[in-house]
Amino acid sequence: MKQPGYSELKRRVLRLVFNHRMIEPGGVLAVGASGGKDSTFMIHLLNELKEKIRWDYSIVAYRVVDKHSPCHNTSDIDEFSSWCESLEVPLKLIAPPAPENVEDENLSECFKCAWRRKEVLFRQIHADGIRTLALGHTAFDLAVTALMNMTFHGNLETMPPVMEFFKGEIKVIRPISVITERQVIRLHKRFNLPKPPPACQTNIGLARFNAENRMRDMLKENPHALYNVMKAARRWPSDIMNDQLS
């Protein structure tokens, strides 16, 4: 199946941003910057879109550097920091204190780590007076979430493009949720973006890791599988659905 070009993908993201009022005029947009391919490409794209969007906004990248986390790795930080500087995007590194020991056998270390990093990020941007946080979830991530909810909770709900927390004090947006994993990989390579740090190995064999592999297997059998899952999922914006999500 023919893949859409970069211009079409930018139009797709612009439509999502406008239709869901993701970015406020003159506002500051915090971006969760793990250094991975998704968040790095999102920074590249949002920085480019500043020329297309009719109002001005600024971007600040935030990265949680948690030496207490099993996935702690800063081997890429110098290259990533230099790249952000070349874009005139400030990079803020957050080093949280040691976490409290949470004894719950129902929670994996990956879940506790991800929850903690998100909490630290939310607290920091709120302290900095920023309301909007962009996260680099792709259409693949949303489809995997829908599969997991179907398997464990009996519904097909997934992450929405926009979601408010703490009575509207923080708004989370997912501007690249209309772009697939395969497309991000291709464009990350095309634009020679900073190399991501090594992938964390602690999630191997866990529920999300297995669901991601199932989704990839489904795509091998049917290139439209991702589109079909998203079509079935709730809270997905029908105005941006298309059969090129593969």
Side-chain angles (χ1 to χ4, degrees), residues 13-21 52-55:
V13 172
L14 271 173
R15 188 161 65 246
L16 183 70
V17 168
F18 284 134
N19 288 356
H20 295 272
R21 300 180 181 179
K52 299 286 186 181
I53 294 180
R54 294 188 292 268
W55 54 82

Side-chain angles (χ1 to χ4, degrees), residues 88-232:
E88 298 183 348
V89 171
L91 173 62
K92 292 194 173 185
L93 304 180
I94 313 169
E100 297 179 3
N101 188 25
V102 179
E103 296 293 341
D104 190 335
E105 60 183 19
N106 295 318
L107 300 178
S108 69
E109 287 302 314
C110 274
F111 178 88
K112 288 187 285 187
C113 178
W115 186 267
R116 170 176 157 75
R117 292 162 75 90
K118 187 180 294 184
E119 179 185 11
V120 168
L121 184 57
F122 278 21
R123 289 183 182 276
Q124 186 62 56
I125 68 168
H126 184 263
D128 290 346
I130 301 176
R131 179 173 179 260
T132 306
L133 170 65
L135 298 179
H137 294 120
T138 66
F140 180 84
D141 296 316
L142 271 63
V144 169
T145 298
L147 282 181
M148 292 182 67
N149 279 330
M150 179 183 68
T151 303
F152 296 104
H153 304 293
N155 65 64
L156 270 171
E157 289 191 356
T158 188
M159 298 176 284
V162 178
M163 188 171 186
E164 293 190 343
F165 293 86
F166 313 115
K167 298 181 180 180
E169 291 189 12
I170 292 179
K171 179 174 72 172
V172 169
I173 65 173
R174 298 180 172 89
I176 63 168
S177 57
V178 287
I179 300 180
T180 69
E181 178 186 53
R182 188 194 311 182
Q183 291 159 356
V184 168
I185 292 172
R186 171 169 57 88
L187 293 168
H188 189 280
K189 183 178 180 180
R190 171 180 167 182
F191 293 113
N192 194 29
L193 300 179
K195 184 179 178 181
C200 181
Q201 300 297 306
T202 58
N203 67 334
I204 294 176
L206 298 180
R208 189 165 193 92
F209 178 86
N210 294 335
E212 289 174 352
N213 286 334
R214 281 196 293 272
M215 189 72 242
R216 293 187 181 103
D217 288 340
M218 290 166 62
L219 284 168
K220 291 176 184 177
E221 294 183 15
N222 179 11
H224 298 278
L226 195 152
Y227 165 75
N228 290 336
V229 171
M230 295 310 304
K231 185 178 179 181

